[in-house]
């Protein structure tokens, strides 16, 4: 069954379209990133630290100029057009973005004039819901609270699209779960979308519809999470099971005295001897095995 | 223009908590008035110029210091502002600081005249006008030299590189304006002409710097 | 209706949803004409992705368990008894196949299997294939 079929009866509007995004730095290059995010879905961007997730987000926000490639954000294809639709865009960035001495009140006072749809009551509710202390200066807040404050500000002007860079990194498990529920509520009407980057994939695995996997500035996969997870299986077996053919096919092979583990394309997992165990994978395992595979390739 | 004003207000918010210019003016003004009532007399006005200039010059770059330390360029990038709006706002902030300095000098002179009307002589007036003209001119020139550098590199990249031109521009402008106006009676028609020329030159340089700043910030990676 | 999804079941989540809705329909828990929760509602409730839920609903529609009415949602279709029987037979075949595999592994002769099945049927009172 193809997913295109499922969605074919609904005219889909893409809130983000990226085609061939490329940006060269002295020691790093982002190459040929392409993806689309339709209205009503959650998309996760995964990959190790330094893979290019933040650079991709910065390009979307026109904080860096791409060397080549097309970006469409909320219909805006030029930097000026993208800036014009900022009211419909809520952003949380990784790292500090407010002056040290600002408290909740100052953040609201500073941002409200810029967003015609700023909802002071909603902002107050969000701050209360997320237990953001009113009297604490921004610099004295924990990393998690700083992220929450940015999230509250991002949601407070009723955006259509949320772009979040590592929103779960500083949050405790309960706050992470609350955030994910909030994001699902956000997209529930089918008109709103979320793009978030993370290297903590466990939460993402369930709620994300699409995933973009980047490693070393290169796009490894873009598509439905289920398809990515269905494309590989985890194989485990004893030392004798590791035939040369299998060894050549396995990604990120780890050998130990009593056996081996590794990743295998799902199709290749069908005709294995019964003694080899195959298991479904998680996004985290996928990143670990692919990462190990890349390291091994470098060493050889 | 509307966006530039909103941006300027944001600069004030970012700067005021670190080093409130109002607070600074108040402290120096009070000290100047106290000194004025001591045997130092009306020289206190000219002493306080130095302190005011130094403090105000620092205020000029406070938004950039705050931006570098707390990633405010990222905040600006999330707002519905074009990059040129952001630059316009910074320059407007610089202009506001310079004008505040001029207004504060007038306020100080007004207080002194109220306290002791007898100090008002033609020479004294000429001297006061020279300073009142010179201080905003110095501040605008400092901003004109400094802002493009800050917009291109950011304060974190090269604080020393930023401070030297700042002082240089201030001292240079002060020297040029004061020697240029030396011996000219500023209350005469000739003096008004000289003052206008200074003002026009300074504003022209400031505007050229603004255009340069816009170009530089447009290309910067944030 | 009861739907429980497990991350550790080793079975894709859309499959789990499909199976549980099918079971509810076949056992009569979900009567014909019942409106299922909307895709987005169910995704939110189960904290799973919209596309996963869409896939489950789509499969159910393809297999004739539900019908999607544009703008209204998915309704349970009446299952004629022949179809119910066919599904039951397919399940039984699958489970018996597993039993045979286990028997082969332990080298248990067919006669013993027959006895075992007879005993089980007697114990259960001969009803309730589905739990």
């Amino acid at each position: 069954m193809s997913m295109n079929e499922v969605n074919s009866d609904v005219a889909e509007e893409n809130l983000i379209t990226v085609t061939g995004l490329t940006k060269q730095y002295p020691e790093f290059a982002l190459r040929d990133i392409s993806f689309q995010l339709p209205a009503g879905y959650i998309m996760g961007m995964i990959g190790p630290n330094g893979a290019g997730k933040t650079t991709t987000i910065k390009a979307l926000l026109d904080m860096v100029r791409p060397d080549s490639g097309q970006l469409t954000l909320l219909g805006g294809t030029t930097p000026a057009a993208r800036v014009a639709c900022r009211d419909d865009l809520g952003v949380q960035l990784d790292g500090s973005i407010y002056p040290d001495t600002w408290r909740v009140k100052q953040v609201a006072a500073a941002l409200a004039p810029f967003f015609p749809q700023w909802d002071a009551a909603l902002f107050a509710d969000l701050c209360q819901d997320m237990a953001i202390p009113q009297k604490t200066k921004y610099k004295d807040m924990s990393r998690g609270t700083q992220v929450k404050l940015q999230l509250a500000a991002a949601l407070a002007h009723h955006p259509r699209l949320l772009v979040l860079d590592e929103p779960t990194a500083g949050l405790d498990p309960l706050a992470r779960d609350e955030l994910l529920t909030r994001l699902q509520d956000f997209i529930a009407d089918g008109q709103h979308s979320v793009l978030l980057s993370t290297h903590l994939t466990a939460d993402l695995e369930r709620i994300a519809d699409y995933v973009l996997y980047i490693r070393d500035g290169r796009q490894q996969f873009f598509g439905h999470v289920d398809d990515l997870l269905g494309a590989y299986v985890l194989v485990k077996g004893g030392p004798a099971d590791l035939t040369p053919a299998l060894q050549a096919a396995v990604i990120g092979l780890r050998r130990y005295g009593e056996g081996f583990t590794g990743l295998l394309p799902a199709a290749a997992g069908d005709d294995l001897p019964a003694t080899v165990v195959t298991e479904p994978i998680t996004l985290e395992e996928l990143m670990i095995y692919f990462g190990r595979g890349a390291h091994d390739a470098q060493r050889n | 223009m509307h966006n530039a004003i909103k941006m300027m207000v944001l600069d004030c918010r970012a700067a005021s908590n670190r080093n409130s210019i109002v607070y600074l003016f108040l402290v120096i003004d009070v000290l100047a008035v106290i000194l004025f009532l001591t045997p130092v007399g009306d020289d206190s006005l000219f002493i306080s110029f130095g302190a005011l200039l130094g403090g105000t010059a620092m205020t000029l770059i406070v938004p950039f210091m705050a931006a570098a330390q707390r990633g405010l360029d990222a905040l600006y990038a999330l707002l519905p502002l074009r990059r040129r709006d952001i630059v316009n706002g910074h320059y407007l902030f610089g202009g506001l600081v310079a004008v505040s300095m001029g207004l504060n000098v007038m306020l100080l002179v007004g207080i002194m005249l109220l306290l002791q009307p007898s100090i008002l002589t033609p020479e004294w007036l000429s001297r006061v006008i020279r300073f009142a003209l010179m201080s905003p001119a110095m501040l605008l020139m400092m901003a004109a030299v400094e802002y493009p550098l800050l917009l291109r590199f950011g304060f974190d990249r090269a604080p020393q590189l930023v401070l030297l031109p700042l002082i240089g521009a201030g001292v240079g402008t002060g020297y040029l304006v004061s020697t240029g106006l030396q011996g000219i009676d500023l209350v005469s028609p000739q003096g008004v002409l000289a003052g206008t020329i200074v003002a026009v030159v300074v504003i022209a340089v400031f505007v050229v710097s603004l255009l340069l700043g816009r170009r530089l910030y447009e290309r910067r990676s944030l | 209706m009861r739907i429980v999804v497990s991350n550790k079941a080793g079975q894709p989540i859309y499959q789990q949803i499909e199976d549980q809705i099918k079971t509810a329909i076949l056992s009569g828990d979900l009567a014909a004409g019942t409106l299922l929760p909307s895709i987005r509602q169910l995704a939110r409730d189960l904290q799973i992705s919209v596309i996963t839920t869409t896939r489950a609903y789509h499969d159910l529609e393809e297999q004739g368990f539900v019908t999607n009415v544009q703008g209204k949602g998915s309704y349970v279709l009446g299952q004629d008894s022949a179809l119910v029987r066919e599904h039951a037979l397919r399940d039984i075949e699958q489970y018996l196949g597993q039993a045979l595999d286990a028997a082969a592994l332990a080298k248990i002769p067919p006669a013993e299997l027959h006895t075992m099945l007879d005993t089980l049927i007697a114990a259960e009172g001969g009803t309730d294939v589905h739990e």
Side-chain angles (χ1 to χ4, degrees):
Chain A
M1 181 199 64
S2 109
M3 276 290 118
N4 297 334
E5 237 176 90
V6 174
N7 299 326
S8 61
D9 47 350
V10 190
E12 274 191 355
E13 179 198 359
N14 285 330
L15 300 193
I16 302 178
T17 309
V18 172
T19 316
L21 171 65
T22 297
K23 174 79 185 170
Q24 181 78 45
Y25 288 101
E27 295 196 342
F28 170 77
L30 192 67
R31 286 201 192 91
D32 208 17
I33 304 292
S34 299
F35 63 90
Q36 311 85 40
L37 176 58
Y41 295 97
I42 297 176
M43 175 178 150
M45 206 174 357
I46 62 169
N49 292 328
K53 304 189 292 287
T54 298
T55 305
T56 304
I57 286 178
K58 285 188 167 182
L60 275 174
L61 301 174
D62 288 296
M63 293 171 72
V64 301
R65 240 173 216 258
D67 296 335
S68 63
Q70 280 90 48
L71 302 172
T72 310
L73 183 82
L74 293 161
T77 52
T78 61
R82 287 190 286 267
V83 162
C85 56
R86 283 290 151 79
D87 200 27
D88 283 329
L89 176 70
V91 183
Q92 170 262 320
L93 291 174
D94 192 20
S96 147
I97 66 165
Y98 302 129
D100 282 350
T101 50
W102 282 10
R103 296 179 172 86
V104 166
K105 209 174 96 184
Q106 277 87 3
V107 171
L111 298 185
F114 289 98
F115 297 103
Q117 303 181 75
W118 183 268
D119 185 339
L122 175 61
F123 181 70
D125 283 353
L126 288 166
C127 287
Q128 196 166 11
D129 274 7
M130 295 195 263
I132 302 169
Q134 297 284 320
K135 297 275 162 67
T136 308
K137 289 178 179 177
Y138 183 67
K139 67 166 175 188
D140 296 327
M141 291 176 181
S142 69
R143 165 140 163 65
T145 308
Q146 290 183 342
V147 168
K148 286 179 186 172
L149 181 55
Q150 280 200 45
L151 283 168
L155 285 164
H157 56 92
H158 299 289
R160 267 195 83 190
L161 172 65
L162 277 180
V163 174
L164 313 176
D165 195 3
E166 296 284 357
T168 56
L171 301 183
D172 59 58
L174 176 62
R176 275 218 300 272
D177 188 67
E178 283 170 357
L179 172 65
L180 297 178
T181 307
R182 209 178 287 283
L183 297 183
Q184 289 202 298
D185 288 345
F186 182 75
I187 63 149
D189 68 353
Q191 298 300 309
H192 296 72
S193 295
V194 179
L195 166 66
L196 75 155
S197 85
T198 182
H199 57 265
L200 299 172
T201 54
D203 340 281
L204 197 65
E205 199 157 298
R206 288 181 67 154
I207 68 153
D209 297 294
Y210 296 90
V211 64
L212 173 68
Y213 175 28
I214 314 180
R215 215 183 55 235
D216 292 333
R218 288 170 195 274
Q219 178 168 337
Q220 307 293 318
F221 176 88
F222 170 69
H224 301 311
V225 176
D226 292 343
D227 290 345
L228 177 58
L229 294 179
Y232 297 94
V233 289
L234 194 61
V235 289
K236 299 176 178 177
D241 298 320
L242 190 63
T243 60
L246 185 57
Q247 187 171 347
V250 165
I251 301 157
L253 177 69
R254 188 173 81 86
R255 301 172 79 158
Y256 48 96
E258 298 75 26
F260 73 95
T261 67
L263 220 56
L264 209 57
D270 287 344
D271 36 48
L272 288 173
T275 48
V276 175
V277 179
T278 62
E279 287 175 1
I281 54 156
T282 62
L283 286 178
E284 185 167 312
E285 284 162 343
L286 190 89
M287 281 169 61
I288 293 171
Y289 282 94
F290 266 100
R292 187 184 293 143
H295 278 280
D296 292 350
Q298 266 170 17
R299 271 203 295 271
N300 295 339
Chain B
M1 194 58 188
H2 190 55
N3 281 338
I5 292 171
K6 286 197 283 189
M7 181 62 214
M8 182 197 75
V9 172
L10 195 54
D11 262 347
C12 292
R13 287 180 189 279
S16 68
N17 287 306
R18 294 174 52 88
N19 187 359
S20 167
I21 189 168
V22 177
Y23 191 64
L24 175 92
F25 283 167
L26 198 70
V27 169
I28 296 177
D29 288 0
V30 168
L31 286 177
V33 170
I34 292 171
L35 271 180
F36 179 65
L37 297 174
T38 66
V40 178
D42 61 359
D43 276 347
S44 80
L45 181 63
F46 307 110
I47 295 169
S48 63
F49 268 130
L52 282 171
L53 258 179
T56 317
M58 287 312 289
T59 307
L60 273 183
I61 59 169
V62 164
F64 293 92
M65 291 164 70
Q69 280 161 18
R70 303 306 289 181
L72 299 191
D73 281 308
L75 171 64
Y76 305 150
L78 310 184
L79 301 174
L81 291 175
R82 290 167 303 174
R83 291 215 177 175
R84 57 190 305 177
D85 296 329
I86 297 168
V87 176
N88 291 348
H90 286 320
Y91 274 81
L92 216 50
F93 173 83
L96 180 76
V97 168
V99 170
S100 310
M101 169 78 187
L103 290 177
N104 186 62
V105 170
M106 287 190 202
L107 177 76
L108 202 50
V109 170
I111 292 171
M112 289 178 179
L113 284 177
L114 274 180
L115 289 175
Q116 207 176 321
S118 64
I119 57 169
L120 186 61
T121 62
E123 304 83 65
W124 190 83
L125 188 61
S126 183
R127 212 169 143 209
V128 165
I129 292 174
R130 186 151 67 236
F131 272 100
L133 193 64
M134 205 165 81
S135 49
M138 286 168 75
L139 287 167
L140 287 179
M141 295 308 285
M142 285 185 200
V145 170
E146 209 46 62
Y147 281 12
L149 286 170
L150 287 164
L151 287 166
R152 173 69 184 83
F153 298 108
F155 182 77
D156 48 339
R157 289 268 204 90
Q160 303 86 340
L161 188 88
V162 162
L163 287 176
L164 287 177
L166 185 75
I167 296 164
V171 171
T173 310
Y175 177 77
L176 284 177
V177 173
S178 63
T179 50
L181 298 182
Q182 200 75 48
I184 297 174
D185 178 9
L186 286 172
V187 205
S188 68
Q190 188 202 8
V192 172
L193 181 67
T196 310
I197 291 170
V198 169
V200 167
V201 168
V202 165
I203 289 169
V205 173
F206 191 69
V207 169
V208 168
S209 164
L210 168 66
L211 298 176
L212 177 65
R214 279 189 194 173
R215 279 185 73 95
L216 293 173
Y217 196 63
E218 201 68 49
R219 284 143 198 265
R220 166 126 168 247
S221 283
L222 302 177
Chain C
M1 182 181 51
R2 169 183 188 278
I3 299 183
V4 179
V5 296
S6 161
N7 282 340
K8 301 186 177 74
Q11 205 182 17
I13 288 174
Y14 69 88
Q15 189 80 53
Q16 296 179 36
I17 297 171
E18 258 177 71
D19 288 352
Q20 292 180 47
I21 294 180
K22 268 189 224 170
T23 305
I25 292 173
L26 292 174
S27 68
D29 280 356
L30 280 177
T34 310
L35 177 63
L36 291 181
S38 78
I39 288 175
R40 287 182 175 274
Q41 177 66 43
L42 188 65
R44 209 180 135 265
D45 291 349
L46 298 177
Q47 292 203 309
I48 57 173
S49 85
V50 174
I51 283 183
T52 302
T53 319
T54 308
R55 180 173 290 193
Y57 274 41
H58 186 83
D59 286 359
L60 287 169
E61 190 178 5
E62 259 188 354
Q63 294 166 31
F65 285 92
V66 303
T67 181
N68 181 42
V69 180
Q70 195 63 46
K72 294 217 166 148
S74 296
Y75 290 90
V76 174
L77 283 178
Q79 300 296 311
D80 64 56
S81 48
L83 193 66
V84 173
R85 191 182 148 75
E86 190 190 309
H87 273 282
L89 285 174
R90 201 188 300 160
D91 281 352
I92 294 167
E93 200 177 312
Q94 185 196 340
Y95 298 141
L96 287 180
Q98 283 175 11
L100 287 178
D101 287 348
L105 204 65
K107 301 197 173 61
I108 292 169
E112 204 174 330
L113 284 178
H114 283 297
T115 321
M116 203 186 273
L117 188 59
D118 288 340
T119 316
L120 279 174
I121 292 171
E124 293 252 336
T127 51
D128 261 359
V129 180
H130 270 283
E131 25 181 352

